[in-house]
Amino acid sequence: MTMQNDYLENTFGLGGKCALITGSSQGIGFALALGLARAGAAVVLNGRNETKVQHARDEILAVLPNASVHALCFDVTDHEAARKAVDNFELSEGPIDILVNNAGMQHRSPLEDFPAERFEALLRTNVSSVFNVGQAVARYMIGRGRGKIINICSVQTALARPGIAPYTATKGAVANLTKGMATDWAKHGLQCNAIAPGYFETPLNAALVADPEFTSWLQKRTPAGRWGKVEELVGACIFLSSDASSFVNGHVLFVDGAISASL
Ligand code: NDP
């Protein structure tokens, strides 16, 4: 029994590791931060709103009083701000072993009316952010010869839906950027992978959750027959953060109740 526990701890445990999760003041990012903290990692929360990030920190500490929970507020679309925040953290607190590029946004509108400014904002928030924070953290990981980067894609990485063409484009780009990261950085000991969530109840999806017609469509369209619960993304994230995935690189792991597997 002890040997089994040691094996699991050595393979999947995250004790002694530190994980930065962007956009973790709510929704999927918060659930992943809590899950990684439960697996033993120190976690670094991020978002633009300091009050929300502090509240998220308090929530994790209320559940896990002994957890190490940091707050690092910066805008992921700002290349310089991301670099400075990561530099300061690495110098003052220590290495970031795991990066989860989760921060993202959505805007729904028919493509013919889609505001150009929102298109640019989607590119900056969903794609440039992955480059900005990924490069800032990878420079340290490369020096150490190890590190884990997990980018949050979407079922829209593989499939389009009406009214969200630009979001679909950004999530396709994140999948290809993940492959590029793995291609450039595997030789430095980094594993760069992605998780593609299906439909999960979060503030980002509040309009869809509130729409009974959408929920009814989703229940029929998803073979699992329901919305995902954010905790159901944690196992994939622990796997991709741990030694268990030491030869998994450039992979996009769909966690979507089989929606992307079926017509
Ligand atoms: P939410 O809108 O609930 O949360 C987004 C988080 O990102 C917040 O903490 C927000 O905090 C932060 N954020 C947004 N913009 C920035 C920025 N420029 N800089 C720093 N932080 C930022 O989203 P979800 O939890 O639903 O989604 C998280 C990720 O998962 C996104 O990449 C999304 O595309 C993806 N996804 C979600 C799915 C779902 O069903 N919910 C399905 C598939 C993918 P603040 O605004 O205070 O900065």
Side-chain angles (χ1 to χ4, degrees), residues 155 221-224 254-263:
V155 73
R221 176 64 184 82
T222 308
F254 282 80
V255 180
D256 65 358
I259 195 168
S260 64
S262 70
L263 266 178

Side-chain angles (χ1 to χ4, degrees), residues 22-30 46-50 52-53 74-78 101-106 124-126 129 152-156 167 171 195-205 227 230 233:
T22 68
S24 42
S25 57
Q26 65 183 43
I28 289 175
F30 176 77
N46 160 262
R48 290 163 299 185
N49 181 323
E50 255 179 64
K52 270 168 63 184
V53 171
F74 62 91
D75 184 335
V76 294
T77 67
D78 183 335
N101 276 312
N102 163 80
M105 65 171 282
Q106 175 63 289
R124 282 195 303 275
T125 308
N126 295 359
S129 63
I152 302 302
C153 285
S154 164
V155 73
Q156 265 79 43
Y167 179 86
K171 292 300 180 176
I195 296 172
Y199 283 86
F200 287 77
E201 288 191 49
T202 70
L204 181 109
N205 274 338
W227 286 88
V230 286
L233 291 162

